[in-house]
Amino acid sequence: MDYTENYHTHTFRCGHAGGTDREYIETAIAAGYKVLGFSDHTPMVFDTDHHSGFRMPLSQAEEYFTTLTDLKKEYRDDIEIRIGVEAEYYPATHEKYMAFMRQFPCEYMLLGQHFLLREEDGFYAMSPYRDPAMLKAYYQNILDGVRTGDFLYVAHPDLFNFIGKPKDYDKVIRAFLKEIKALGIPLEINRLGYSDRRIYPNRRFWQLAGEAGVDAVVGVDAHRPEHLTDFDAIRGCMAIAEENGLSVTQNLL
Ligand SMILES: [Zn+2]
Ligand SMILES: [Zn+2]
């Protein structure tokens, strides 16, 4: 298996990941990775006093980029470290958020949409929804995010927990994938979901993705250093790509 680049790695700063930055890097080097991209849950700018429980606070952004920049230099002979974030696309606050991020040497952003449009409203994508209008709104939210051009790829695009009619699912997902194909942005098959047996990777989603011929990537979504060596699950994700005729893109940056 040739899996040597992972752009989806968290750190302790989000509050629900473990290990030190150095442990992720040394685990990656020992496992033969060539590229390790850090993409912790970004600090987010809100219009309200909303407190997000699963991401680093705004006040920690500077430390995140400074520490990782030092480590990138220290380990440059052994591995290529990339420094990014996993972010949401919240249209009302996106420009403010981007202005905040421009202060830092952020090399890339993954689009990981956990909430619909506004985190404050609490429409969490992994809650079950029966209404196809919600499904449609969620994928429109992602497409609008992709169209900003600010994102490298879409993390776990199959996160949305739709429990309505399969024919409604197929219709919305087919339309979404057609746009994604035209936009040329890769979609991620997520190791964490695979390993934890979550609702994603969603097999039907990836069948339809195969028919649409989109680009795929496999992301570890590491929340602990040892996740980088969860090769059984990584192989499982690669197999999903292969079964559906999708080629896994490398050299993203
Ligand atoms: Zn997380
Ligand atoms: Zn993630």
Side-chain angles (χ1 to χ4, degrees):
M1 180 182 58
D2 187 27
Y3 185 79
T4 57
E5 291 180 21
N6 166 52
Y7 293 88
H8 198 161
T9 312
H10 293 280
T11 78
F12 66 90
R13 296 171 188 80
C14 65
H16 62 274
T20 64
D21 303 339
R22 207 175 276 280
E23 283 167 342
Y24 284 95
I25 295 166
E26 293 190 350
T27 302
I29 294 168
Y33 281 85
K34 291 189 171 65
V35 179
L36 178 66
F38 282 95
S39 54
D40 205 2
H41 295 285
T42 190
M44 208 84 217
V45 177
F46 297 108
D47 272 340
T48 60
D49 60 359
H50 176 73
H51 170 75
S52 203
F54 69 106
R55 51 180 80 262
M56 73 178 96
L58 289 163
S59 59
Q60 202 156 16
E62 182 156 9
E63 183 276 326
Y64 174 72
F65 285 103
T66 306
T67 304
L68 292 179
T69 300
D70 288 347
L71 288 167
K72 180 184 170 102
K73 284 182 200 142
E74 183 182 334
Y75 285 94
R76 73 185 144 209
D77 293 336
D78 302 308
I79 192 163
E80 189 178 348
I81 292 172
R82 297 289 200 166
I83 313 169
V85 290
E86 178 177 10
E88 320 263 337
Y89 178 61
Y90 297 146
T93 47
H94 188 68
E95 271 319 306
K96 253 192 233 177
Y97 166 67
M98 291 302 290
F100 172 79
M101 289 303 285
R102 276 182 214 112
Q103 306 170 75
F104 307 109
C106 184
E107 295 176 87
Y108 69 95
M109 299 170 82
L110 304 184
L111 178 55
Q113 196 72 31
H114 300 87
F115 288 90
L116 177 63
L117 296 170
R118 250 169 62 94
E119 200 161 310
E120 294 94 319
D121 296 336
F123 290 117
Y124 183 48
M126 282 219 279
S127 304
Y129 295 99
R130 202 176 293 280
D131 183 358
M134 286 294 283
L135 179 72
K136 212 172 157 191
Y138 178 77
Y139 282 98
Q140 188 60 50
N141 189 174
I142 292 183
L143 282 176
D144 291 343
V146 170
R147 288 198 180 101
T148 62
D150 294 332
F151 299 98
L152 180 68
Y153 75 63
V154 183
H156 43 60
D158 44 350
L159 183 82
F160 193 87
N161 187 3
F162 184 65
I163 56 162
K165 295 191 184 98
K167 76 169 183 13
D168 289 335
Y169 184 79
D170 284 14
K171 188 175 168 210
V172 170
I173 299 304
R174 276 201 177 100
F176 167 73
L177 291 166
K178 193 175 162 205
E179 297 291 322
I180 288 289
K181 170 79 179 165
L183 290 160
I185 189 166
L187 303 181
E188 179 202 70
I189 306 174
N190 186 277
R191 191 280 325 166
L192 178 61
Y194 186 98
S195 196
D196 277 4
R197 298 170 191 276
R198 296 183 178 178
I199 53 157
Y200 60 95
N202 178 315
R203 301 308 162 115
R204 183 60 182 158
F205 181 96
W206 291 106
Q207 272 174 2
L208 296 173
E211 288 170 17
V214 300
D215 292 329
V217 295
V218 171
V220 174
D221 203 351
H223 284 73
R224 301 201 60 80
E226 59 267 31
H227 289 165
L228 292 166
T229 54
D230 183 8
F231 287 117
D232 284 348
I234 291 168
R235 254 190 296 272
C237 293
M238 301 285 250
I240 291 173
E242 201 170 317
E243 282 157 19
N244 293 296
L246 294 166
S247 56
V248 173
T249 308
Q250 301 254 285
N251 296 310
L252 283 168
L253 277 179

